[in-house]
Amino acid sequence: MTGDGPIRVLIVDDDAMVRAGLSMILGGVADIEIVAEAADGSEVPPLVGEHRPDVVLMDIRMPGIDGLTATETLRRTSEPPEVVVLTTFHADAQVLRALRAGAAGFLLKDIAPGDLVQAIRKVAAGEPILSPAVTRQLITHVSDGGGPGEERGERARKLLERLSEREREVAMAVGQGKSNADIGRELYMSVPTVKAHVSRILTKLGLNNRVQVALLVYDAAS
């Protein structure tokens, strides 16, 4: 449940069978409510405005406005919903671009029903469902326009310079795929203190989640 009731979910996929399958899986879950469905990215902004979903399950490939464009559009709005990319690929350049745009993670379309439900609950609670370790694997195996490039790397290094020394240590640990508990043990902090540092890092750098922190750390080191 969110603070005001069930987790509100918008399903976006051009395949009617996929939408039906997701609706069947999620329709019987007490703490999840499907508020709308869409077959194209062009339908997403008005549906989000009307139904105010907490989570959008977003197909990455659609014949009209694709999921990447729709994700970038949503993340530029005020108080956007969390976006989870749906894909048939483990490693794909468009998935990486969606993560850079602020998606909270990605799910394979053949995910087990129970795992799908748990993923939606985690995202609604503000937890990304893609660990930095998996993010690094994705970056390693996928060419995103030929790699981060000198310009992206320089931008990332300048952003990290905005952080205090302690915040940079936490950011580096996030980029290494470490949990809050692991970071706390390594840096001799309590878990609430680690969470506070992560929150300040996101605010200072204008990022949405830990996935983007990991991507920034990767860029800065490249």
Side-chain angles (χ1 to χ4, degrees):
M1 297 275 188
T2 62
D4 300 319
I7 301 166
R8 299 168 61 81
V9 176
L10 168 63
I11 298 173
V12 185
D13 198 296
D14 66 315
D15 189 328
M17 292 296 290
V18 172
R19 295 198 307 274
L22 291 170
S23 295
M24 185 178 301
I25 292 169
L26 301 176
V29 181
D31 61 342
I32 292 177
E33 176 188 0
I34 300 170
V35 295
E37 297 181 13
D40 186 78
S42 62
E43 303 172 43
V44 172
L47 287 175
V48 167
E50 179 181 355
H51 297 284
R52 307 306 300 172
D54 303 299
V55 177
V56 178
L57 297 179
M58 184 83 76
D59 184 19
I60 200 72
R61 288 180 173 81
M62 291 178 284
I65 304 249
D66 62 26
L68 173 61
T69 302
T71 297
E72 291 172 336
T73 299
L74 280 184
R75 296 308 304 182
R76 286 194 295 266
T77 62
S78 62
E79 299 184 4
E82 296 293 349
V83 176
V84 177
V85 171
L86 295 173
T87 180
T88 55
F89 297 90
H90 287 270
D92 181 87
Q94 286 187 301
V95 173
L96 184 55
R97 285 180 61 193
L99 296 175
R100 290 190 186 281
F106 75 92
L107 298 174
L108 297 178
K109 289 188 178 182
D110 61 358
I111 186 173
D115 292 339
L116 172 63
V117 171
Q118 290 303 317
I120 290 172
R121 288 171 177 159
K122 287 185 67 175
V123 168
E127 302 175 37
I129 56 170
L130 179 67
S131 73
V134 174
T135 305
R136 291 201 309 277
Q137 293 175 9
L138 185 66
I139 295 168
T140 299
H141 291 95
V142 177
S143 171
D144 183 22
E150 185 175 337
E151 183 177 341
R152 181 181 291 163
E154 181 62 25
R155 175 182 174 276
R157 286 187 284 274
K158 286 182 178 179
L159 282 173
L160 290 177
E161 287 174 0
R162 297 180 183 176
L163 304 178
S164 68
E165 182 177 353
R166 198 60 159 168
E167 288 166 347
R168 281 196 296 273
E169 290 176 338
V170 172
M172 295 302 292
V174 169
Q176 293 165 7
K178 295 178 179 176
S179 68
N180 287 341
D182 291 337
I183 295 171
R185 283 191 293 270
E186 181 178 300
L187 299 180
Y188 304 101
M189 300 181 194
S190 68
V191 169
T193 300
V194 175
K195 289 181 178 179
H197 277 298
V198 172
S199 179
R200 283 197 294 272
I201 290 167
L202 295 175
T203 299
K204 281 188 175 182
L205 301 185
L207 302 178
N208 295 298
N209 53 50
R210 296 167 73 104
V211 175
Q212 288 188 315
V213 175
L215 291 168
L216 190 74
V217 169
Y218 166 82
D219 289 343
S222 300

